[in-house]
Amino acid sequence: MTSPTSSTSDSSPVVEGREHEGEQAVQRRTGGVRPGKGSPMFGPHLRTELAEMISEQPLVILAGVDCEARLWATVLTSEHRLVRLGDSDTVRLDALPVPGDPLRHAFDTEQACATLFLDLAAPRRVRINGRARRHGGHLELRSEQAFRNCAKYIHQRELLEPAPSRPARVLHSTALSPRQQDWIATADTFFFASNAAQHGADVNHRGGPSGFVRVADDHTLSWPDYRGNGFYMTFGNLELDQSCGLCFLDWEHGHSLHLSGIARVEWGPDPHDHTHRIVHFTVEHVVEIRDTTTLRWRSSDPTPITSPDQQEGRP
């Protein structure tokens, strides 16, 4: 199956304040539509609290398209300082995707991108969407949307001492191996990249109890959509372009699994009930990277996620 790439390959900048027709369509379906809700609410400025939060993080999730217009999500980490701030809408990331990563050369020229800064200890998350370009050994990101999300469904983790550095090893395929299927079937966290023409890329966190992602076969995944902030920025992009990318991180061993394909949202009989929204993902390309990062984490969640209802009461 070939994913639609016409909008995924579009590198037009985000237009601040412009209504997102995909988000509006989804909001109408769920009964939560109002003018300006979602993407138009967010401008490029990195407010002080956002700047302070992202400058402390050793981990950032990056999304963009490769030279074949496939959408991917990947991870950048550093044992040292990863984030350096420029002016009020510029961020320097002192890391690149590792050799063999599908986004290794995606930003050799300026391209639309999305980033997610995730504080696993607090937990907190900040998203910055815009455009990025590689300069030597770092990426320079120019913000066009900067905003903070709530902490729902973030599984807390403690950062451990780094492991010894090893060269990354890359495996390519068009289907999931049994070992990769087991990896996904036991995950409590993954990252979800989407994109739509004239609106740019986006990447966000998805979390739940271990096993919330169901593996049907070597090409098919599904997961429930838990209640969020009602902006539907990911679903809004999918309404316009089903192309997307997923990233699963092996927190204990530093490996990463990257999937590119298409997603379809199944709406249940009651769209107001989050348990009736299921996302079905069809795998088209798989990249597994062994030893993506030297950083290691272990779970430190005092109340592990067992249901979305538990998360509703979290700050």
Side-chain angles (χ1 to χ4, degrees):
M1 181 180 295
T2 301
S3 61
T5 58
S6 59
S7 64
T8 313
S9 59
D10 189 284
S11 59
S12 301
V14 174
V15 180
E16 183 184 350
R18 181 177 183 268
E19 293 284 7
H20 191 302
E21 59 272 28
E23 293 172 9
Q24 293 279 296
V26 176
Q27 290 165 17
R28 282 193 296 270
R29 187 178 290 124
T30 60
V33 67
R34 66 172 171 80
K37 182 179 180 180
S39 294
M41 297 168 59
F42 308 113
H45 184 60
L46 296 177
R47 302 189 307 273
T48 300
E49 65 272 20
L50 302 186
E52 290 176 350
M53 182 274 189
I54 70 171
S55 66
E56 300 169 354
Q57 304 314 313
L59 164 74
V60 60
I61 308 303
L62 174 71
V65 297
D66 65 12
C67 61
E68 297 179 328
R70 297 172 184 150
L71 186 60
W72 300 92
T74 194
V75 58
L76 301 181
T77 64
S78 177
E79 295 179 25
H80 308 291
R81 186 173 180 180
L82 175 61
V83 180
R84 298 180 187 274
L85 302 175
D87 56 30
S88 63
D89 62 357
T90 304
V91 177
R92 168 174 162 161
L93 301 174
D94 278 337
L96 298 173
V98 299
D101 187 294
L103 295 182
R104 174 71 177 183
H105 295 290
F107 302 102
D108 288 355
T109 58
E110 186 180 271
Q111 299 291 340
C113 75
T115 55
L116 169 66
F117 297 83
L118 195 62
D119 183 344
L120 295 163
R124 301 175 292 173
R125 55 179 162 167
V126 166
R127 289 152 74 181
I128 301 176
N129 301 333
R131 301 180 68 80
R133 181 169 184 171
R134 176 178 176 171
H135 295 276
H138 71 272
L139 294 177
E140 186 170 292
L141 167 64
R142 177 166 51 84
S143 170
E144 292 173 343
Q145 288 181 325
F147 54 101
R148 184 171 179 173
N149 276 155
C150 68
K152 286 181 180 177
Y153 317 118
I154 297 178
H155 193 107
Q156 291 177 263
R157 287 180 159 86
E158 175 187 359
L159 184 62
L160 305 176
E161 288 296 317
S165 178
R166 298 185 180 91
R169 294 167 291 149
V170 183
L171 306 172
H172 294 265
S173 67
T174 56
L176 295 166
S177 69
R179 179 178 53 79
Q180 291 167 342
Q181 293 179 53
D182 289 342
W183 180 347
I184 293 169
T186 58
D188 58 42
T189 299
F190 71 93
F191 304 99
F192 191 179
S194 61
N195 190 87
Q198 305 301 317
H199 297 291
D202 186 66
V203 65
N204 206 352
H205 158 277
R206 290 291 184 270
S210 178
F212 81 109
V213 182
R214 300 160 194 151
V215 182
D217 54 45
D218 60 358
H219 280 92
T220 312
L221 314 176
S222 64
W223 60 88
D225 179 56
Y226 298 154
R227 186 179 296 115
N229 53 28
F231 296 158
Y232 296 109
M233 296 175 76
T234 299
F235 276 21
N237 282 346
L238 293 180
E239 188 80 4
L240 304 178
D241 187 339
Q242 292 183 314
S243 303
C244 55
L246 310 184
C247 176
F248 294 82
L249 185 59
D250 181 338
W251 303 95
E252 291 77 22
H253 303 97
H255 312 317
S256 58
L257 181 62
H258 312 263
L259 313 179
S260 184
I262 61 173
R264 174 180 61 86
V265 181
E266 177 186 352
W267 296 87
D270 180 1
H272 298 83
D273 182 351
H274 66 276
T275 61
H276 287 288
R277 290 199 296 266
I278 304 295
V279 182
H280 300 279
F281 178 81
T282 301
V283 176
E284 295 182 340
H285 301 279
V286 180
V287 176
E288 180 181 345
I289 305 178
R290 313 293 290 178
D291 299 305
T292 305
T293 177
T294 60
L295 299 189
R296 302 290 185 268
W297 289 264
R298 68 181 171 200
S299 176
S300 63
D301 202 326
T303 55
I305 298 166
T306 57
S307 76
D309 292 334
Q310 279 188 308
Q311 283 288 336
E312 292 300 322
R314 288 195 176 187

